[in-house]
Amino acid sequence: MTTTAPRAPDLATLIDRHRDEITEAWARSSQRLPGSRYGEHPLSEIQSWLSPETDATVTTLSTGSYGPTEAYLQETALACLAGGFGISEVIENLMLFREAALPFILRSYPPGAPQLDKALAALDAYLRFKVGRFGRYYAEAVDQELRSSEQRLRTVADFAYDWEYWVDASGSYIYVSPS
């Protein structure tokens, strides 16, 4: 279910023009997140993770299509889950994009200009969508991982020589091994 993204070609061009500086500032902010796994990784590695997201942001804001962002977020949700990143630290990191891009946006428009308000509104709308959609994809990835884990445990229990059973909170049996 893709909705229409805010189309902001001027903002996209601005972000594209300063992509390296924005990505570096974003990566530095990511490393400083308290208690986050981002701090365990070198700056260059974090930048390599964030660069495709900057590309997706530019394309989305240029075209008004969330397609590139959604594709990126689906991959990111799986990679973050596999890498042991919690949803809250990834969402906090996603929001740091605004902090990294803001100095360039503020320098490009006069204070109080309608273009500034429009650019900030487009960026905020984009970030709200991105965070919400990432949460959905992360939840789907967690659900898939739980299903896979349950299937592995069920396989082990099915071939165990001992009697295995699982009960729910009410005491009802939800699984009984063939043994």
Side-chain angles (χ1 to χ4, degrees), residues 112-143:
Q115 300 93 331
L116 175 61
D117 293 339
K118 197 172 175 181
L120 293 175
L123 182 60
D124 289 345
Y126 172 74
L127 290 174
R128 280 192 305 275
F129 174 87
K130 186 166 69 167
V131 166
R133 196 56 61 128
F134 175 79
R136 176 179 153 208
Y137 291 137
Y138 191 89
E140 288 172 359
V142 167
D143 186 55

Side-chain angles (χ1 to χ4, degrees), residues 42-117:
L43 185 65
S44 60
E45 185 177 14
I46 298 170
Q47 284 178 277
S48 73
W49 298 340
L50 300 179
S51 185
E53 184 169 352
T54 303
D55 294 341
T57 300
V58 168
T59 304
T60 294
L61 292 173
S62 294
T63 63
S65 168
Y66 279 120
T69 296
E70 289 198 72
Y72 173 80
L73 292 173
Q74 283 178 317
E75 289 177 25
T76 299
L78 294 170
C80 288
L81 184 61
F85 286 85
I87 189 170
S88 61
E89 69 185 309
V90 178
I91 287 175
E92 195 170 349
N93 178 59
L94 292 174
M95 295 303 294
L96 288 175
F97 180 83
R98 186 181 202 281
E99 179 183 305
L102 196 57
F104 300 98
I105 295 169
L106 293 175
R107 274 185 272 181
S108 297
Y109 299 104
Q115 300 93 331
L116 175 61
D117 293 339

